[in-house]
Amino acid sequence: MNDRFMQAAIVQAQRGWDVGGIPIGSVLVHDGEIIGRGHNQRVQRSSPTLHGEMDAIENAGRLPASTYQASTIYTTLSPCSMCAGAILLYGIGRVVVGENTTFMGEEELLRSRGVTVEVIDDPTCKALMQRMIDERPELWFEDIGESVP
């Protein structure tokens, strides 16, 4: 993988995992520059909503609609319905997904609303998620809003 923006999202995912959280990272890019970085911090901040994409958008700060509309969000995992909703709300027109094998989010919803969705199918993203699912399955099920089987 040589895409520097996806690499930056992977760095964020690894940061989350290194501190006991969920390894999902994201960056928001505008005009070739990262304007927001984030990782899932549900564990670290005891937050039900602080997913990687939400954290990246939050860290980008308050911006004009035109900035969001001209931005791309890179995320290591397919966006869930909450994150897809934020992408739609702010009019982010392009989403680059590291992988959607572990979890298929709302890619079709995004596409149906005119968002360009590109799936890279990155092995590093897959490996991070598989490690978490193997080592901490209860954390994974909590993150996707399901009961542990």
Side-chain angles (χ1 to χ4, degrees), residues 17 20-23 40 42-43 132 135-145 148:
W17 179 251
I22 298 164
N40 187 304
R42 292 182 65 252
V43 174
M132 185 207 54
E135 294 180 16
R136 299 196 59 202
E138 74 290 346
L139 192 57
W140 170 242
F141 286 107
E142 176 189 326
D143 194 56
I144 60 173
V148 178

Side-chain angles (χ1 to χ4, degrees), residues 26-119:
S26 184
V27 295
L28 186 64
V29 176
H30 181 261
D31 283 342
E33 298 295 325
I34 295 173
I35 60 172
R37 299 170 192 267
H39 56 274
N40 187 304
Q41 295 197 59
R42 292 182 65 252
V43 174
Q44 299 91 318
R45 295 202 185 171
S46 192
S47 168
T49 58
L50 202 49
H51 284 193
E53 299 92 332
M54 304 296 277
D55 194 36
I57 292 168
E58 175 73 19
N59 289 330
R62 192 170 159 213
L63 300 168
S66 59
T67 300
Y68 285 113
Q69 292 163 359
S71 294
T72 297
I73 194 161
Y74 288 74
T75 179
T76 59
L77 188 66
S78 185
C80 72
S81 55
M82 177 179 64
C83 295
I87 290 164
L88 292 173
L89 178 67
Y90 289 102
I92 298 168
R94 182 170 176 246
V95 179
V96 179
V97 176
E99 70 106 342
N100 62 4
T101 304
T102 305
F103 177 79
M104 173 57 79
E106 297 294 337
E107 294 173 23
E108 288 310 312
L109 170 64
L110 291 168
R111 286 183 181 108
S112 77
R113 299 282 295 275
V115 176
T116 300
V117 178
E118 176 185 345
V119 180

Side-chain angles (χ1 to χ4, degrees), residues 1-12 74 122 124:
M1 159 59 59
N2 60 6
D3 185 307
R4 69 183 175 114
F5 299 127
M6 184 55 70
Q7 287 293 58
I10 290 169
V11 166
Q12 289 297 310
Y74 288 74
D122 181 78
T124 302

